[in-house]
Amino acid sequence: MELWYTEEHTPNVRFSIKVDKMLFTEQTEFQQIDVFESEEFGRFLTLDGLMMLTEKDEFIYHEMMVHVPMASNPKIRKVLVIGGGDGGTVRELTRYDDIECIDLVEIDERVVTVCREYLPQVAGKFGDPRVHMYFEDGLRYIRTRENEYDLIIVDSTDPFGPGEGLFTKEFYGNCYKALKEDGILVNQHESPYYEKDAEAMKRAHTRIVEFFPVCEVYQAHIPTYPSGHWLFGFASKKIDPVKDLDAAAWNALGIATRYYNTRLHTGAFALPNYVLDILEMK
Ligand code: SAM
């Protein structure tokens, strides 16, 4: 008998991966965690039946979440990651010797434990001494922070269930307050392609624009996410991700990447017209 993982991307579109084995399943206080093994994508993690990452394409998402802001401001020293319990974002951040502190705020400790066991290549850097983990709701954590972080990365689930609060005005306003003067906020911004995802993306963008003077959006191709076309938000108090990119300085760091490079950095901010229309950026 064949076993397939299937995710509904719209009521009319389904995405399936042939599964070799189910490795882990658990309903936690917050969500359903599943880990599968597949020939095409290696191991993959789903939460509440939605794809979070696969071993084969996670590098794209995590490199783009981290290296775009890091190359835009080489002075980043203190970073907050909200969500990100799989460890991919933390792994990429630990590649920068100049980063002094990485705070990770993850609502569900079980995600971290399960990823450490089943996805060690993704979750292998939680032991770095610069990483401090807090198991609580990011919406609550951020309320009391002020002028503390150079970079906040919101590596959350979609805007429903536990992740819902991380797409609210209250949250973005508190991120603004928690950032230093040249701080940057990066968030996973959903997809522009299918209607429901595009609405979520537009809603998030409209809310972020209310607080941040610089508000840009960039893109990457992530094969296992709905439509494969994924966006990220880049908001800051004054850093412009294209004008302030110091390509020579980043390249001198010698960080080997498989997706990100400084030419792609600039190109990723060149959005298709239909996306500019949705975001009212034309
Ligand atoms: N790359 C992923 C994606 O969008 O498909 C996100 C991956 S990461 C596993 C998302 C994490 O955000 C989950 O582990 C989840 O528990 C966490 N999370 C969701 N809501 C949260 C909240 N309010 N505060 C902190 N962490 C949260």
Side-chain angles (χ1 to χ4, degrees), residues 30-31 33 45 47 50-53 61-62 65 81-87 89 105-109 111-112 115 134-140 154-158 160-166 171 188 190 225 230:
F30 302 101
Q31 56 212 342
I33 307 179
L45 167 77
L47 294 180
L50 299 176
M51 180 61 77
M52 292 294 118
L53 66 88
Y61 177 89
H62 294 122
M65 285 287 256
V81 180
I82 295 185
D86 53 76
T89 296
V105 180
E106 163 62 59
I107 203 166
D108 192 346
E109 187 170 2
V111 175
V112 172
C115 291
Y134 304 89
F135 295 109
E136 62 177 274
D137 188 337
L139 180 65
R140 249 190 78 192
V154 187
D155 186 1
S156 65
T157 42
D158 294 331
F160 37 82
E164 200 169 343
L166 306 180
F171 178 70
Q188 74 99 339
E190 304 291 309
Y225 284 178
W230 210 253

Side-chain angles (χ1 to χ4, degrees), residues 3 19-25 32-37:
L3 189 59
V19 169
D20 289 343
K21 224 194 294 168
M22 179 168 220
L23 296 173
F24 181 85
T25 184
Q32 170 76 33
I33 307 179
D34 293 296
V35 183
F36 301 93
E37 177 95 54

